[in-house]
């Protein structure tokens, strides 16, 4: 874990992942940029507390100096003045602080609805009606509670803002343990989601081209891997937008397209005649062990459908926050709106998709089923529009899930060089990251299995860690209901994580499941 540098612009040093609070600028919108050292001389800059710095106070008598210094400490303690980490002005997450409730709704909706929803009917094919609906409902309520926890903990300590998930984990568990527990799953979730988006986006672009081109297609069409490359190149171009607030428009596009295509997919599916020999019994597998692991993998797919908590603190950190107007108020307003629409997308898609295809659901998800079973029943223009909306949504989701990784890259660079990334360095990081995910997608093109494994490995980020962090930071009365409730939820989430990870690994290894891709006629 890289440590961020101390600077001469502040009197209180800032540690890298302890907290990265903002200082109140006149606009309250942008972190002030630190001055670089040139010619061996460090430049000075005024801060709201510089007027009571030791240098300014040197002519004043000791009693007056003591009063003013104590007043400074008191104001910082109650949150009127916030200690500054100047490096935040160079990083994509905290470079701009002009976010609002609308931005929060766009970002949360873009992160919460996406390709993972298309796999929910796959999970139902292993769980059946009752357990599928029960698991989906419990997961939704559980993750909504932990979302509220993260929003409240963003400014749990007066005068500090935990702008990144890793920072909050370090504040709760300690620097070393917090980094060890949170850094890998959050990075894995961002990179794994980006890889899965390349798989879905590339395959959907291929289907879109086949529908639009029809019989006029050339004799040598692009392969699936080549479509992955096309999609990755588009993602890299869009990733050149500098910071999280700058992609608010993309998040709006991603949110709108996700709502439209998820609705279109399940409406088109239930409006068509169901395939013959359909059954709603859970898929029968050769052995009891295989059945257990397949159930774990299905539950992991449901858990993965609610990923996005690794972005909550980052989204909230883009908002201005004052003592009277804390950032958690607009953040929670936007999150409530977003998760209302998320529920309106996920539940009908899972239930309607399973009703339409039952145990005939291919492991690629409901989009593959729609194309395979009803390619000739639905107009080509309607199918093409649906697939194009999926591509737009995947392109937008790639940006928001990749932003924390870009932030980590640039934090490491700025710490080593003590200067912001140039446009070429920033572009280089993002190009390399895009192609790394492309190669992973080529090596592991097993979407349903990858989703289950992602859901298992990253489940603590959404369902377990927030509960632990609430107890360790807020310190509810020991042995009270609040104390027992959060500890129980946290350890239950850890146990589920282990089980779902095993199920995801088994699903990748098992050739019978990982090769069950639907081939349209």
């Amino acid at each position: 874990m890289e440590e961020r540098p101390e600077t001469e612009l502040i009197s209180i040093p800032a540690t890298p992942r302890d907290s990265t609070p903002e200082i109140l600028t006149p606009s309250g919108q942008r972190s002030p940029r630190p001055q670089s050292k040139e010619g061996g001389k460090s430049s000075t800059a005024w801060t709201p507390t510089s007027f009571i710095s030791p240098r300014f106070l040197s002519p004043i008598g000791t009693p007056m100096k003591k009063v003013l210094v104590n007043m400074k400490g008191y104001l910082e303690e109650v949150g009127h003045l916030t200690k500054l980490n100047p490096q935040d002005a160079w990083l994509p997450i905290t470079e701009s602080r002009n976010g609002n409730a609308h931005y929060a709704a766009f970002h949360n909706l873009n992160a919460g609805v996406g390709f993972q929803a298309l796999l929910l009917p796959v999970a139902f094919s292993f769980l059946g009606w009752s357990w599928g609906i029960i698991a989906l409902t419990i997961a939704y309520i559980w993750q909504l509670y932990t979302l509220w926890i993260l929003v409240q903990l963003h400014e749990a300590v007066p005068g500090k803002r935990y702008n990144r998930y890793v920072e909050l984990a370090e504040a709760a568990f300690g620097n070393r343990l917090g980094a060890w527990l949170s850094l890998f799953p959050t990075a894995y979730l961002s990179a794994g989601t980006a890889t899965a988006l390349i798989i879905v986006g590339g395959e959907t672009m291929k289907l879109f081209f086949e529908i639009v081109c029809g019989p006029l297609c050339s004799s040598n069409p692009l392969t699936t891997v080549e479509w992955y490359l096309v999609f990755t190149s588009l993602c890299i171009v869009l990733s050149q937008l500098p910071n999280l607030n700058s992609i608010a428009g993309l998040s709006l596009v991603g949110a709108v397209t996700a709502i439209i295509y998820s609705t279109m997919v399940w409406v088109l599916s239930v409006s068509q005649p169901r395939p013959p020999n359909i059954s709603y019994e859970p898929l029968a597998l050769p052995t009891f062990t295989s059945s257990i692991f397949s159930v774990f993998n299905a539950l992991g797919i449901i858990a993965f459908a609610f990923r996005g908590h690794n972005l909550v603190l980052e989204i909230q950190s883009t908002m201005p926050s004052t003592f009277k107007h804390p950032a958690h108020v607009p953040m929670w307003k936007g999150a409530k709106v977003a998760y209302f629409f998320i529920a309106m997308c996920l539940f009908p898609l899972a239930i309607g998709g399973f009703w339409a295809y039952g145990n005939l659901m291919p492991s690629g998800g409901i989009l593959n089923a729609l194309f395979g079973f009803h390619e000739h029943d639905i107009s080509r223009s309607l199918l093409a529009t649906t697939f194009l909306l999926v591509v737009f949504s995947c392109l937008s989701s790639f940006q928001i899930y990749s932003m924390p990784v870009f932030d980590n890259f640039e934090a490491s660079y700025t710490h080593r060089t003590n200067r912001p990334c140039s446009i070429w360095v920033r572009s280089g990081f993002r190009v390399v990251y895009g192609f790394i995910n492309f190669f992973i997608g080529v090596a592991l093109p097993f979407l349903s299995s990858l989703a289950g494994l992602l859901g298992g490995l990253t489940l603590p980020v959404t369902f377990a860690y927030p509960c632990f962090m609430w107890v360790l930071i807020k310190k509810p009365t020991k042995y009270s209901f609040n104390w027992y409730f959060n500890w129980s939820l946290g350890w239950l989430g850890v146990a589920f994580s282990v089980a779902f990870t095993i199920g995801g690994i088994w699903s990748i290894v098992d050739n019978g499941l990982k090769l069950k891709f639907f081939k349209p006629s």
Side-chain angles (χ1 to χ4, degrees):
M1 176 63 59
E2 297 287 350
E3 293 190 354
R4 298 183 184 176
E6 297 181 358
T7 175
E8 296 178 359
L9 299 183
I10 54 175
S11 58
I12 300 176
T15 55
R17 296 296 184 185
D18 178 24
S19 65
T20 53
E22 68 172 337
I23 191 164
L24 300 181
T25 63
S27 64
Q29 294 180 351
R30 184 176 290 275
S31 298
R33 297 185 180 277
Q35 303 296 322
S36 59
K37 296 181 180 180
E38 297 181 358
K41 297 181 180 180
S42 61
S43 60
T44 58
W46 181 87
T47 65
T49 58
S50 60
F51 74 96
I52 49 180
S53 65
R55 178 177 298 179
F56 180 86
L57 292 173
S58 56
I60 303 180
T62 302
M64 179 63 70
K65 176 179 178 179
K66 184 176 181 180
V67 169
L68 292 178
V69 170
N70 289 341
M71 181 181 295
K72 171 192 172 185
Y74 172 75
L75 292 176
E76 289 180 339
E77 181 180 355
V78 299
H80 287 280
L81 297 177
T82 305
K83 290 169 287 186
L84 167 68
N85 187 340
Q87 190 187 10
D88 276 353
W90 292 338
L91 302 180
I93 298 296
T94 48
E95 183 181 37
S96 173
R97 295 191 187 270
N98 61 352
N100 51 43
H102 298 91
Y103 283 18
F106 301 158
H107 288 318
N108 279 286
L109 194 51
N110 185 31
V113 178
F115 74 94
Q116 75 281 5
L118 302 174
L119 297 173
L120 287 175
V122 179
F124 274 50
S125 66
F126 290 100
L127 298 174
W129 278 119
S130 300
W131 287 110
I133 295 175
I134 290 172
L136 187 61
T137 303
I138 292 175
Y140 179 80
I141 297 173
W142 191 345
Q143 62 84 34
L144 197 61
Y145 171 67
T146 54
L147 173 71
W148 176 84
I149 287 179
L150 291 175
V151 171
Q152 298 301 314
L153 291 181
H154 178 76
E155 294 172 286
V157 178
K160 293 183 180 180
R161 296 184 69 177
Y162 298 108
N163 293 324
R164 297 162 181 85
Y165 195 100
V166 177
E167 295 173 8
L168 184 60
E170 290 183 351
F173 303 116
N175 289 342
R176 187 178 299 273
L177 181 60
W180 184 80
L181 289 176
S182 61
L183 187 60
F184 171 75
T186 54
Y188 183 79
L189 182 57
S190 294
T193 301
T195 300
L197 285 166
I198 289 174
I199 295 173
V200 176
E203 292 180 348
T204 306
M205 288 183 74
K206 181 181 179 181
L207 294 176
F208 173 77
F209 179 77
E210 290 176 358
I211 293 173
V212 173
C213 184
L216 301 178
C217 290
S218 64
S219 57
N220 295 314
L222 295 180
T223 65
T224 302
V225 172
E226 288 171 337
W227 280 114
Y228 290 171
L229 183 59
V230 172
F231 183 84
T232 303
S233 301
L234 292 176
C235 288
I236 291 173
V237 171
L238 292 176
S239 69
Q240 302 310 311
L241 291 171
N243 54 60
L244 189 56
N245 269 336
S246 67
I247 65 170
L250 281 178
S251 289
L252 174 59
V253 172
V256 172
T257 54
I259 293 173
I260 295 175
Y261 84 69
S262 61
T263 303
M264 289 180 64
V265 166
W266 74 262
V267 168
L268 290 174
S269 297
V270 301
S271 64
Q272 300 298 321
R274 285 180 290 178
N277 303 321
I278 191 173
S279 173
Y280 298 110
E281 293 296 324
L283 289 173
L285 296 176
T287 64
F288 177 76
T289 302
S290 297
S291 299
I292 293 297
F293 285 154
S294 66
V295 168
F296 286 162
N297 184 60
L299 293 173
I301 293 174
I302 292 178
F304 185 54
F306 295 108
R307 88 269 192 268
H309 282 41
N310 62 312
L311 299 170
V312 172
L313 296 172
E314 284 79 353
I315 294 171
Q316 193 168 346
S317 69
T318 64
M319 302 178 182
S321 184
T322 64
F323 184 67
K324 293 184 178 180
H325 303 284
H328 70 82
V329 176
M331 177 64 186
W332 184 238
K333 288 181 180 178
K336 286 189 294 184
V337 173
Y339 276 84
F340 170 79
F341 285 104
I342 288 172
M344 294 299 100
C345 292
L346 299 190
F347 282 88
L349 192 58
I351 296 172
F354 186 57
W355 181 88
Y357 305 109
N359 61 350
L360 300 179
M361 176 67 61
S363 63
I366 189 174
L367 202 61
N368 286 29
L370 181 66
F371 182 79
F373 287 109
H374 303 299
E375 178 186 3
H376 304 293
D377 303 326
I378 301 174
S379 67
R380 289 172 55 191
S381 60
L382 202 55
L383 280 176
T385 301
T386 303
F387 294 156
L388 186 61
L389 291 173
V390 174
V391 173
F392 287 158
S393 177
C394 290
L395 287 171
S396 302
S397 295
F398 185 93
Q399 308 309 317
I400 191 169
Y401 272 95
S402 300
M403 198 59 71
V405 181
F406 301 155
D407 188 83
N408 284 332
F409 285 161
E410 296 187 28
S412 177
Y413 177 86
T414 56
H415 169 66
R416 293 178 183 276
T417 62
N418 196 29
R419 64 173 183 267
C421 292
S422 67
I423 186 173
W424 299 110
V425 173
R426 173 173 283 182
S427 298
F429 281 147
R430 302 183 181 196
V431 170
V432 170
Y433 172 76
F435 281 108
I436 288 175
N437 285 287
F438 163 74
F439 288 119
I440 296 174
V442 172
L444 294 173
F446 314 120
L447 180 57
S448 62
S449 302
L450 186 62
L453 181 60
L454 282 169
L457 288 174
T458 60
L459 184 145
V461 173
T462 300
F463 296 95
Y465 291 163
C467 301
F468 292 144
M469 291 188 288
W470 179 265
V471 174
L472 295 173
I473 294 178
K474 288 296 187 178
K475 301 185 185 304
T477 304
K478 199 172 184 180
Y479 306 125
S480 63
F481 173 79
N482 194 348
W483 188 88
Y484 274 119
F485 181 71
N486 284 285
W487 275 117
S488 300
L489 279 184
W491 285 115
L492 188 61
V494 172
F496 283 157
S497 175
V498 174
F500 299 169
T501 301
I502 294 173
I505 294 173
W506 170 86
S507 186
I508 291 177
V509 173
D510 188 89
N511 292 328
L513 288 179
K514 75 179 182 181
L515 296 178
K516 184 191 172 186
F517 287 101
F518 190 90
K519 302 290 186 180
S521 57

